[in-house]
Amino acid sequence: MDLPDKGGDISSVFLFGLPKAGSTLLNRVMRPLCERGDLAAFSLHNAMRGLGISMQDMPDTVGEIYEATGYVYMGYRGLQPQDKIPSFASGRAVYLVRDPRDMIVSKYFSEAFSHRPPGSTVDDKMIKKFEERRQKLQNMNLDNYVLESGHHTLDAFENTQAELANVEHRVWRYEDVVFDKLNWVNQMLDHLDLNVPKQVVERVVERNDVRPDAEQTDAHVRRVTPGDHRNKLQPETIEKLNEIFAPILTRFNYT
């Protein structure tokens, strides 16, 4: 696996997220700013997906891609032991979370309608599985989906938390930043000690401040307003999700 040419002699940065928790927004705003700060961008997860390799099948040598200086490692949508996050990520990492009830609703629309298929360079198993899954979900009730998939979303949180247990990082909640992106981005840059001209920061944030006037089911940015699960799910479904996600809702102060 080839990395881009290394950036400057600056401590590497790590951008961590979760599936359907604003990770694309995090990557789109921070990648050009980190590159302006002389860091080369690389996404392990995107590279694996483009090759048609699942996260579970990542090679044991994947830890060799990490270098202590010169890179921003990004595109993480949940972590597993296979990611082999290095100790030098500590103090150089940010982590974006979201209400898991909104995450799982968003994940349904993404899997069923808007998510792009994986690559098949190495193997076509992933793309076949993707197509079968999409067909199944398009014929599936949303409430049934979230209840069936709830424990997978819980596992994504818990697995990521376990991998970050010994990595010093700062957490932001999607709900707190989605309508205050400039302030959020400036806080991240300050935390990571990256110097980027004010005008560049403002331009990048403005370009990524997308707010659809109406819901777009087949678009990646479908609906940015927090609390969407309350509009989409039956009350009894929400009650069951509250039980499933109780540890997460408490840990990140969601009500």
Side-chain angles (χ1 to χ4, degrees):
M1 186 186 306
D2 295 326
L3 270 67
D5 291 340
K6 187 174 181 178
D9 189 23
I10 301 166
S11 295
S12 292
V13 163
F14 292 77
L15 310 179
F16 299 122
L18 292 160
K20 306 313 297 179
S23 57
T24 297
L25 172 64
L26 171 65
N27 297 324
R28 284 180 177 173
V29 295
M30 289 301 288
R31 175 173 185 154
L33 299 178
C34 288
E35 289 177 334
R36 182 63 182 260
D38 205 15
L39 294 171
F42 179 74
S43 170
L44 171 63
H45 285 197
N46 287 354
M48 291 291 100
R49 193 170 189 273
L51 292 171
I53 301 174
S54 70
M55 296 301 104
Q56 292 75 20
D57 293 331
M58 284 196 294
D60 292 336
T61 56
V62 74
E64 298 174 5
I65 69 167
Y66 297 117
E67 297 194 28
T69 61
Y71 288 93
V72 51
Y73 295 98
M74 52 181 281
Y76 297 96
R77 293 173 173 85
L79 294 174
Q80 301 179 49
Q82 295 95 319
D83 287 299
K84 300 185 183 300
I85 302 302
S87 60
F88 56 75
S90 193
R92 300 292 292 167
V94 302
Y95 179 32
L96 182 64
V97 301
R98 186 183 185 185
D99 186 326
R101 297 163 297 187
D102 282 347
M103 281 174 56
I104 200 167
V105 168
S106 181
K107 192 168 185 286
Y108 168 79
F109 286 99
S110 177
E111 286 192 76
F113 301 105
S114 65
H115 206 176
R116 288 181 297 179
S120 56
T121 302
V122 173
D123 199 312
D124 64 356
K125 288 189 298 184
M126 276 186 71
I127 194 168
K128 288 180 178 178
K129 185 177 179 180
F130 172 90
E131 291 169 347
E132 291 171 0
R133 175 77 170 163
R134 171 155 289 178
Q135 184 61 46
K136 175 184 176 181
L137 295 186
Q138 289 181 351
N139 295 307
M140 192 174 189
N141 175 274
L142 174 58
D143 286 82
N144 290 339
Y145 169 86
V146 301
L147 293 176
E148 179 183 284
S149 305
H151 289 286
H152 296 298
T153 297
L154 176 63
D155 287 345
F157 267 97
E158 298 293 7
N159 292 341
T160 301
Q161 197 69 26
E163 294 307 306
L164 293 180
N166 297 314
V167 176
E168 182 185 346
H169 60 281
R170 182 165 174 186
V171 178
W172 279 270
R173 302 192 318 171
Y174 173 88
E175 294 77 11
D176 299 328
V177 305
V178 68
F179 295 131
D180 191 20
K181 295 183 181 72
L182 182 58
N183 184 43
W184 168 48
V185 170
N186 281 324
Q187 288 176 10
M188 286 193 291
L189 293 173
D190 184 62
H191 172 70
L192 299 170
D193 196 26
L194 295 176
N195 296 313
V196 181
K198 176 182 177 181
Q199 297 87 342
V200 175
V201 176
E202 291 175 348
R203 200 159 53 239
V204 170
V205 170
E206 182 179 8
R207 187 167 66 238
N208 288 282
D209 193 16
V210 180
R211 307 185 189 190
D213 293 328
E215 182 166 328
Q216 302 175 42
T217 301
D218 59 351
H220 178 80
V221 182
R222 179 184 59 85
R223 181 181 176 88
V224 300
T225 305
D228 190 40
H229 69 278
R230 298 187 182 94
N231 301 318
K232 296 287 192 300
L233 302 174
Q234 296 297 319
E236 55 269 25
T237 301
I238 296 174
E239 289 182 13
K240 291 177 182 178
L241 290 181
N242 289 345
E243 295 176 7
I244 294 171
F245 294 136
I248 306 302
L249 300 177
T250 300
R251 181 182 303 156
F252 295 105
N253 198 28
Y254 288 113
T255 56

